Amino acid sequence: HFPFVHDATVAPPVVYFDYIIIGGGTAGCPLAATLSQNATVLVLERGGSPYGDSNITNVGNFGSTISDTSPHSASQIFISEDGVYNTRARVLGGGSAINAGFYSRAEPEFARDAGWDEDLVRRSYDWVESKVAFEPPVRQWQSAVRDGLVEIGVLPYNGFTYDHVQGTKIGGTIFDDQGRRHTAADLLGYANHRTIKVYLHATVSRILFTRRGANPRAYGVVFEDALGIKKRAFLRPHPQNEVILTAGALGSPQLMMLSGIGPALHLKSHGIHLVLDQPNVGQGMADNPMNLLYVPSPVPVEISLIQVVGIPPAFQSGKPSSLTAETMAKAIDTVHAYANTSLKGGVILEKVKGPLSSGDLKLRSRSPRDNPSVTFNYFKDPQDLRGCVEGMRSIVNMINSPSFARLRYANLPVQALVDLMLNLPVNLRPRHVSSSISLEQFCIDTVMTIWHYHGGCQVGKVVDRDYRVVGVDGLRVIDGSTFLKSPGTNPQATVMMLGR
């Protein structure tokens, strides 16, 4: 698709660049395109290309993208210690190649809290949007959700907007009017073709440090191609040249630890040479909990992903949305059996913003290909649980609203939908008898991920406000691992903007 993208098997044994970016994902692609204007840039991506893969590019195949977890697929499944199925991207474009496509800017206070220049933030969002963001067509299921939300008082109605504002709105999408996905990889279209090189199927095993100055300094990386042949990339000697980690909330803290930066005792237990004792690497891991109801419909509904959202004034963000029965049921392999073709309908979900609950990430092995062990501690903070209960109540009210009546079976009470969810293997958590009558227990027992996990290399703890890793030179982290909390909406827009 781009002349500068190659398989890593053709890479020479040693290469030299001004910047080495580890991870061609949601942050890495816009970052590389930007840096290539004035410097030479190498991007090392462990996955393949999103182009020409109909599972990725076609809106109707969203479920297949998530459920295909074969060794070379774009989705690498991991199961958190909480017993919740999750997915990490393994493809150029990162999470934007496998997500449900919802595109919305973060709330203004998110940028203010981060200390970002608000004018630069706005210009950077514009830069991203001109290549990857679109207004979705709103058809019958989505309009019933929209009208139902307005009816139950999620006001005002804001129409179509990229802004995260209280009330009901239609958000943006990275799927165009032909249903084709536009990923962060499209932002490489901005790159200077002469100064950038992207290697696919290039798995970085560690960052190299020299000890000449007061702090250890990153000077290169070791990576493996698809044949397992080890290669090296070095920084050209210049004080401004850097290695930049954009490997995501799982990959970045994992690679920091594999390279010797992390909690000393934990690294020692894996036989890893310590470069810097940094106990905060892998801490503050959080994931927005998602809970949902599947609503069978007497009429066929369109294939659509998340478009309409309700953002209440309270602390939680109920995010009713729709994924069709076919797609969401496929989203987790184990639900597959329940998605027989005669069953039409859709899914209404809510997610808790923030969240306040968090956990940690630890290495399982010294292989960068293995998933680390992650605990998110869903609903450990009671405020997160209250948010889920409020969100579920909003969903129940919306399903019972007159606007939604023609898309549901009149003789199927909401209680039956609750019981249906409790019988689906959406996660590996135990079910409690009380969960059919207690929304609190329902939230805890049927929690899923909305794939917005973050933390592990947080600002103020592992990196400074300029995303430089504290205590070492020549190394930055720029991705969702730096977030203290997730934006109130899908973070992909914000991560792409941050890369720019």
Side-chain angles (χ1 to χ4, degrees):
H1 198 81
F2 295 114
F4 50 80
V5 178
H6 305 279
D7 193 276
T9 48
V10 306
V14 178
V15 290
Y16 291 86
F17 285 85
D18 298 331
Y19 291 100
I20 299 167
I21 295 176
I22 305 171
T26 323
C29 290
L31 176 67
T34 303
L35 291 174
S36 74
Q37 304 308 318
N38 297 303
T40 61
V41 181
L42 173 66
V43 179
L44 297 169
E45 166 52 50
R46 70 192 186 118
S49 169
Y51 301 107
D53 181 338
S54 63
N55 274 357
I56 292 174
T57 53
N58 182 350
V59 67
N61 294 343
F62 166 71
S64 311
T65 313
I66 294 289
S67 61
D68 177 8
T69 55
S70 56
H72 302 293
S73 69
S75 298
Q76 181 177 1
I77 193 167
F78 73 98
I79 302 170
S80 67
E81 303 304 309
D82 315 272
V84 172
Y85 300 101
N86 216 315
T87 313
R88 59 192 294 211
R90 181 170 46 194
V91 62
L92 190 67
S96 68
I98 63 170
N99 65 16
F102 190 70
Y103 183 97
S104 175
R105 298 180 173 198
E107 57 275 30
E109 53 271 28
F110 188 87
R112 283 200 288 274
D113 291 348
W116 296 333
D117 171 334
E118 288 178 60
D119 183 52
L120 183 57
V121 165
R122 193 179 64 253
R123 293 203 310 273
S124 300
Y125 276 128
D126 289 340
W127 181 90
V128 168
E129 285 152 18
S130 67
K131 283 230 191 272
V132 305
F134 305 88
E135 179 175 352
V138 178
R139 301 195 174 101
Q140 57 170 358
W141 173 273
Q142 298 281 356
S143 46
V145 172
R146 174 196 63 202
D147 299 346
L149 284 169
V150 171
E151 240 165 56
I152 66 167
V154 184
L155 296 167
Y157 175 60
N158 297 302
F160 167 71
T161 177
Y162 289 141
D163 293 331
H164 185 76
V165 280
Q166 184 189 316
T168 296
K169 73 163 197 170
I170 295 150
T173 178
I174 58 173
F175 290 97
D176 65 21
D177 58 3
Q178 305 296 305
R180 282 187 308 247
R181 180 191 295 272
H182 293 260
T183 75
D186 287 20
L187 300 172
L188 291 170
Y190 283 120
N192 178 343
H193 291 201
R194 293 185 303 281
T195 56
I196 187 171
K197 187 79 79 179
V198 178
Y199 287 131
L200 302 177
H201 305 294
T203 304
V204 175
S205 52
R206 70 179 203 277
I207 302 162
L208 302 169
F209 294 94
T210 174
R211 280 260 181 206
R212 296 212 185 100
N215 290 339
R217 172 177 279 278
Y219 70 93
V221 304
V222 179
F223 67 99
E224 272 182 25
D225 66 18
L227 302 174
I229 295 170
K230 277 195 166 51
K231 300 180 177 184
R232 283 173 166 72
F234 296 118
L235 294 178
R236 289 194 170 124
H238 189 283
Q240 277 186 291
N241 292 353
E242 293 176 337
V243 173
I244 306 175
L245 256 174
T246 53
L250 266 64
S252 289
Q254 177 185 23
L255 203 53
M256 290 267 275
M257 290 184 192
L258 291 175
S259 306
I261 301 175
L265 286 174
H266 179 55
L267 300 193
K268 188 180 175 186
S269 73
H270 284 278
I272 295 169
H273 170 73
L274 187 71
V275 172
L276 179 71
D277 180 13
Q278 173 43 290
N280 289 315
V281 173
Q283 295 300 306
M285 297 299 298
D287 187 27
N288 291 114
M290 170 174 87
N291 291 80
L292 55 83
L293 287 180
Y294 169 68
V295 187
S297 172
V299 296
V301 296
E302 74 271 16
I303 286 184
S304 58
L305 297 175
I306 297 173
Q307 293 178 1
V308 174
V309 299
I311 302 155
F315 57 78
Q316 56 72 238
S317 149
K319 190 173 182 178
S321 81
S322 86
L323 302 168
T324 61
E326 292 91 340
T327 53
M328 197 61 199
K330 273 194 248 173
I332 290 167
D333 259 353
T334 47
V335 186
H336 219 284
Y338 295 85
N340 65 68
T341 47
S342 62
L343 198 64
K344 296 290 181 196
V347 161
I348 316 286
L349 64 90
E350 63 77 40
K351 74 145 203 195
V352 178
K353 74 175 260 193
L356 296 173
S357 310
S358 69
D360 60 14
L361 175 149
K362 294 185 172 73
L363 295 177
R364 283 188 202 278
S365 76
R366 288 174 62 168
S367 168
R369 297 176 199 276
D370 291 347
N371 286 316
S373 157
V374 195
T375 308
F376 293 118
N377 289 323
Y378 297 103
F379 302 127
K380 190 177 175 185
D381 190 295
Q383 194 162 306
D384 291 340
L385 189 57
R386 280 201 299 276
C388 178
V389 170
E390 280 188 29
M392 290 308 300
R393 283 203 185 109
S394 297
I395 287 176
V396 170
N397 292 340
M398 201 213 65
I399 292 171
N400 286 330
S401 70
S403 288
F404 205 76
R406 66 192 173 80
L407 289 181
R408 62 169 294 205
Y409 290 97
N411 60 350
L412 197 64
V414 170
Q415 185 60 49
L417 305 180
V418 169
D419 293 338
L420 171 67
M421 286 310 301
L422 290 166
N423 284 307
L424 292 178
V426 295
N427 61 32
L428 297 174
R429 294 160 82 92
R431 300 291 184 269
H432 295 79
V433 179
S434 59
S435 51
S436 78
I437 50 170
S438 154
L439 276 178
E440 280 87 355
Q441 198 61 52
F442 175 86
C443 284
I444 291 166
D445 288 2
T446 66
V447 67
M448 298 165 71
T449 180
I450 197 166
W451 307 288
H452 298 175
Y453 50 86
H454 53 279
C457 296
Q458 290 176 308
V459 169
K461 296 176 179 173
V462 175
V463 298
D464 65 18
R465 283 277 177 122
D466 290 318
Y467 300 90
R468 291 190 183 95
V469 177
V470 178
V472 298
D473 296 333
L475 181 64
R476 283 185 220 236
V477 184
I478 300 176
D479 58 24
S481 71
T482 64
F483 288 177
L484 298 169
K485 60 178 191 287
S486 190
T489 183
N490 183 310
Q492 72 169 346
T494 307
V495 177
M496 286 191 258
M497 178 278 295
L498 177 63
R500 169 59 175 171

